[in-house]
Amino acid sequence: DTEVTQTPKHLVMGMTNKKSLKCEQHMGHRAMYWYKQKAKKPPELMFVYSYEKLSINESVPSRFSPECPNSSLLNLHLHALQPEDSALYLCASTLDRGAKEKLFFGSGTQLSVL
Amino acid sequence: AQSVTQPDIHITVSEGASLELRCNYSYGATPYLFWYVQSPGQGLQLLLKYFSGDTLVQGIKGFEAEFKRSQSSFNLRKPSVHWSDAAEYFCAVGIKAAGNKLTFGGGTRVLVKP
C-alpha cells in the first residue's frame, strides 16, 4: 500500500461551520504534513508532524487546528474559516523527517468557504 | 534563504516533440533537488531526485534531469512527450540546514498539442 488517502474529496462550508479533513496512510511513515495549495500556485507548507508530535507550524491561523491521533492518521480541524481559505488541501507523508525524503501526496480536499 | 525559480510559467509542446523545463536554485551549497508532477485535481508525484554523484538522473515516465553546479540549475527533460504528460511540474529543493523543509518553485504548466 503506497497510498495516502484523503477524505472528503470536496467540501463546501460556511464561515460559521466546523469541519474536519482526514488523512490516512499505512506505509509506516513517521512524518505527516499538511499543505495548502491555491490555484496555479505551488503547495505551501502548513504543519509537520514527526512521530506524532507537531514539529513545524508555519504560523498558520488558529482557525486551522491539526491533530495526529496515531502514526497513520492526520486530521485538520477547521473552524470559522474565511473565503480566502478556499484552496486544495494536500496531505503528505514521508518515511522519516529529512531533506532527502520523498513526499507521498494524497489527492487532496478541494475546500470552498462561502 | 534558499529560493527556487522556474522561469517558464507555461510551455506548449506538440505530442512527440521533446520537452525541457528549467529550474534554477539559489543556495550556497548543493541542496537536495526534486521534480514533482501534478495532474489536474491530484496530488503531487515524485518524478526524480538528485542528491550527489552522477549529474544526469533518470526518473519515472521517461523523464531525466541534469544537475549543473556552475549554473545552479536542475533542468527536466523528456525526449518525446505524450498527451498524458500534460500537467503542472514543480521543481523543489530540500535543505537540511533549513529544518529539512522543502521549497517549491512556482511551477510550469505543460500543455500538449495533438
Side-chain angles (χ1 to χ4, degrees):
Chain A
D1 186 356
T2 58
E3 280 193 354
V4 175
T5 303
Q6 288 188 244
T7 56
K9 293 194 181 304
H10 302 276
L11 179 63
V12 179
M13 60 186 291
M15 289 190 284
T16 59
N17 292 158
K18 285 186 183 181
K19 297 286 185 183
S20 296
L21 308 185
K22 296 186 183 304
C23 175
E24 192 168 2
Q25 58 85 17
H26 296 286
M27 295 179 280
H29 288 182
R30 302 316 300 264
M32 297 185 76
Y33 308 72
W34 281 115
Y35 284 87
K36 174 183 177 180
Q37 186 178 28
K38 302 285 274 185
K40 302 186 182 187
K41 296 292 186 183
E44 297 175 12
L45 183 64
M46 300 175 69
F47 302 103
V48 181
Y49 273 82
S50 180
Y51 291 84
E52 300 164 49
K53 288 185 169 43
L54 183 64
S55 62
I56 293 178
N57 176 341
E58 291 287 278
S59 303
V60 178
S62 60
R63 58 186 183 269
F64 295 91
S65 175
E67 179 196 19
C68 189
N70 60 55
S71 60
S72 298
L73 295 174
L74 185 66
N75 298 322
L76 186 62
H77 303 297
L78 314 174
H79 174 54
L81 293 194
Q82 304 297 310
E84 60 264 29
D85 297 322
S86 297
L88 181 67
Y89 288 84
L90 293 165
C91 175
S93 68
T94 56
L95 184 61
D96 207 332
R97 284 282 286 131
K100 290 184 175 182
E101 294 290 332
K102 171 185 175 181
L103 281 160
F104 289 78
F105 283 88
S107 296
T109 294
Q110 187 66 55
L111 174 68
S112 297
V113 182
L114 305 179
Chain B
Q2 72 273 17
S3 66
V4 187
T5 303
Q6 293 180 244
D8 304 304
I9 297 175
H10 292 104
I11 285 182
T12 300
V13 61
S14 296
E15 193 168 12
S18 63
L19 174 68
E20 181 167 11
L21 305 182
R22 296 183 290 164
C23 173
N24 294 96
Y25 66 90
S26 173
Y27 186 63
T30 300
Y32 304 129
L33 296 160
F34 305 82
W35 276 99
Y36 284 86
V37 61
Q38 185 177 28
S39 298
Q42 298 295 314
L44 283 71
Q45 181 184 21
L46 180 69
L47 286 174
L48 46 74
K49 58 189 176 183
Y50 174 79
F51 300 155
S52 65
D54 191 347
T55 57
L56 185 64
V57 292
Q58 302 297 318
I60 63 170
K61 301 178 187 279
F63 284 92
E64 65 178 25
E66 185 172 14
F67 169 65
K68 293 186 177 180
R69 184 188 306 276
S70 61
Q71 297 177 19
S72 297
S73 70
F74 187 54
N75 293 349
L76 182 72
R77 297 194 292 252
K78 185 167 184 177
S80 177
V81 168
H82 186 261
W83 63 266
S84 60
D85 293 322
E88 187 88 23
Y89 292 80
F90 293 99
C91 181
V93 300
I95 297 177
K96 188 176 180 181
N100 295 322
K101 286 191 273 189
L102 201 63
T103 299
F104 286 95
T108 298
R109 179 166 296 276
V110 173
L111 304 173
V112 180
K113 293 190 301 184

